[in-house]
Amino acid sequence: MRNFTVNQNDAGQRLDKFVTKATEGMPKSLLYKFIRTKRIKLNGKKAHENDILSAGDLIEMYIPDEFFGSADDTPDYSKVKVKPDIVYEDENILLCNKKPGILVHLGDEGDKNLANAAERETLIFALTAYLVNKGEYEPENEASFAPALCNRIDRNTGGIVILAKNAATLRGVNEAIRENRVHKKYLCAVHGKLDGSRTLTAYHTKDHRTNTVKIFDRQVPGSREIITKYKALAYNKKQDLTLCEIDLITGRTHQIRAHMAHIGHPLLGEGKYARNAEDRKIGFSSQALYSSSIEFEFDGELEYLNSKKFTVREDCIDFLRLFPDFSFKRDFGKR
């Protein structure tokens, strides 16, 4: 038997969702059987799977211990290889600069080979350890919530990732993302000369087996519209490279990389949607792309963040060295 007292992070969700998170490996059919036969009770009474939990509720589970794991399953947060680079932090939210080459989650990007990395080498593990070691997150006191990342970035792309420290923030950020109230700007270096600014529209399909996408000028079966805005910021005549600011109106898999390659201006270091052996000679074997700034339009408790623009440090973006006339602070960092 195990008892759980619902805290603020657990409140507001259905009972069956809570039990699923608080247990391990329990089939849904067995979960509903336990609820139906009163082996899972809410406040000492018969429970229902769609009961909405409130802080202070008592959940009693008369079920086998095998569904609760063991203390030995608790990760060792003292041995963390990835050191988080914090852009901003308060009691609700954390913005982290993910460096290129770091996985956000274990086995991300749909490539099973990437799961060969140790869990402690991922960004989410490093950030969880950071909060545990600060005393802000105590896993043993949370039945169903853990600090969660609200957005993801490809392994070899760098930039700002959002971590929610509590359930209310997670709900608020996810809602803002769905409603396009989280505004991210990217910097990238592309081959060829671009001038001015332009809004690109095309259609996007994804092959989940290969984790690649295709871009089409017209709609094809299974495609979704993509909209990408770019603004040319600087030009390197010797290398024939343009530094661009990208504003994603839609956010599809590999959208920037594939869309820019589609118009004949692939990213420097691009290896999936274009190939340029010369890129390696100047030190770029992966895409020159960075999620460099973020702004919010929050409702409710997170509104205090709305007047701010958060940016990474200029020295984090290696490809900016190719554009000595560009001023990050003057041309990009200002609000």
Side-chain angles (χ1 to χ4, degrees):
M1 173 187 174
R2 298 285 178 95
N3 290 340
F4 295 90
T5 299
V6 176
N7 64 23
Q8 203 61 48
N9 281 327
D10 299 325
Q13 63 182 310
R14 287 168 49 123
L15 174 74
D16 55 354
K17 299 294 185 184
F18 174 91
V19 175
T20 298
K21 296 173 186 175
T23 57
E24 297 179 9
M26 184 188 298
K28 283 191 174 182
S29 58
L30 192 55
L31 163 63
Y32 294 126
K33 180 181 178 181
F34 285 155
I35 295 175
R36 188 175 63 254
T37 58
K38 301 182 183 180
R39 294 181 67 178
I40 297 177
K41 295 183 178 182
L42 177 60
N43 295 324
K45 300 178 181 178
K46 178 177 173 59
H48 303 86
E49 61 265 21
N50 59 354
D51 285 337
I52 302 300
L53 301 178
S54 299
D57 282 346
L58 176 65
I59 300 171
E60 299 168 276
M61 300 190 195
Y62 299 88
I63 63 178
D65 287 339
E66 64 187 85
F67 293 118
F68 294 109
S70 67
D72 294 337
D73 297 331
T74 303
D76 182 359
Y77 290 115
S78 65
K79 299 177 181 179
V80 182
K81 291 189 175 182
V82 178
K83 300 299 180 184
D85 179 8
I86 309 301
V87 174
Y88 172 82
E89 180 182 10
D90 62 31
E91 67 275 13
N92 296 313
I93 200 169
L94 184 153
L95 306 180
C96 178
N97 172 35
K98 186 193 83 69
K99 298 176 182 178
I102 301 298
L103 275 174
V104 173
H105 286 282
L106 198 60
D108 246 2
E109 303 180 16
D111 186 344
K112 293 181 180 179
N113 293 326
L114 296 181
N116 291 333
E119 183 183 15
R120 63 179 179 272
E121 296 174 21
T122 62
L123 183 65
I124 184 58
F125 191 91
L127 289 174
T128 302
Y130 170 76
L131 296 179
V132 167
N133 293 329
K134 283 181 65 180
E136 284 196 38
Y137 171 56
E138 299 176 344
E140 64 275 12
N141 294 333
E142 296 287 347
S144 68
F145 178 80
L149 297 177
C150 305
N151 64 313
R152 299 184 179 189
I153 297 180
D154 291 343
R155 181 174 192 164
N156 290 319
T157 298
I160 298 175
V161 177
I162 309 166
L163 179 108
K165 292 186 176 183
N166 53 63
T169 297
L170 181 61
R171 289 191 294 268
V173 175
N174 285 341
E175 179 181 333
I177 290 174
R178 288 194 301 270
E179 296 177 356
N180 295 319
R181 292 186 284 110
V182 175
H183 308 293
K184 295 180 289 181
K185 294 289 181 69
Y186 294 77
L187 289 175
C188 67
V190 303
H191 286 281
K193 186 174 183 179
L194 291 170
D195 294 304
S197 59
R198 185 181 171 192
T199 299
L200 307 172
T201 301
Y203 294 89
H204 171 287
T205 63
K206 180 176 180 179
D207 186 334
H208 293 275
R209 296 169 301 172
T210 61
N211 194 40
T212 57
V213 306
K214 291 183 179 179
I215 308 298
F216 302 88
D217 292 322
R218 293 181 176 83
Q219 193 163 16
V220 300
S223 66
R224 303 173 73 183
E225 185 181 50
I226 58 171
I227 304 174
T228 308
K229 288 185 177 181
Y230 75 76
K231 177 182 179 182
L233 300 177
Y235 179 64
N236 179 325
K237 184 176 181 180
K238 180 179 179 180
Q239 306 292 348
D240 190 26
L241 296 169
T242 301
L243 177 67
C244 291
E245 174 188 294
I246 302 289
D247 186 0
L248 284 180
I249 307 305
T250 56
R252 314 292 184 210
T253 301
H254 299 167
Q255 179 175 323
I256 296 173
R257 298 168 60 187
H259 208 169
M260 298 307 289
H262 180 71
I263 67 168
H265 294 277
L267 270 61
L268 171 69
E270 178 61 63
K272 186 166 283 191
Y273 300 104
R275 304 249 179 221
N276 189 336
E278 297 299 312
D279 292 355
R280 290 181 175 272
K281 295 181 180 179
I282 58 173
F284 292 90
S285 57
S286 59
Q287 64 269 14
L289 178 63
Y290 225 95
S291 178
S292 308
S293 78
I294 193 165
E295 296 179 81
F296 302 107
E297 289 181 57
F298 284 131
D299 293 328
E301 295 182 0
L302 296 175
E303 284 185 349
Y304 64 90
L305 295 169
N306 289 353
S307 61
K308 301 177 181 179
K309 178 177 182 178
F310 303 96
T311 62
V312 299
R313 298 188 317 277
E314 181 176 2
D315 59 8
C316 295
I317 310 174
D318 186 36
F319 56 85
L320 288 184
R321 62 183 168 83
L322 300 173
F323 304 93
D325 296 332
F326 171 75
S327 170
F328 182 82
K329 188 172 184 179
R330 181 193 67 216
D331 300 326
F332 188 78
K334 63 184 179 182
R335 197 174 188 280

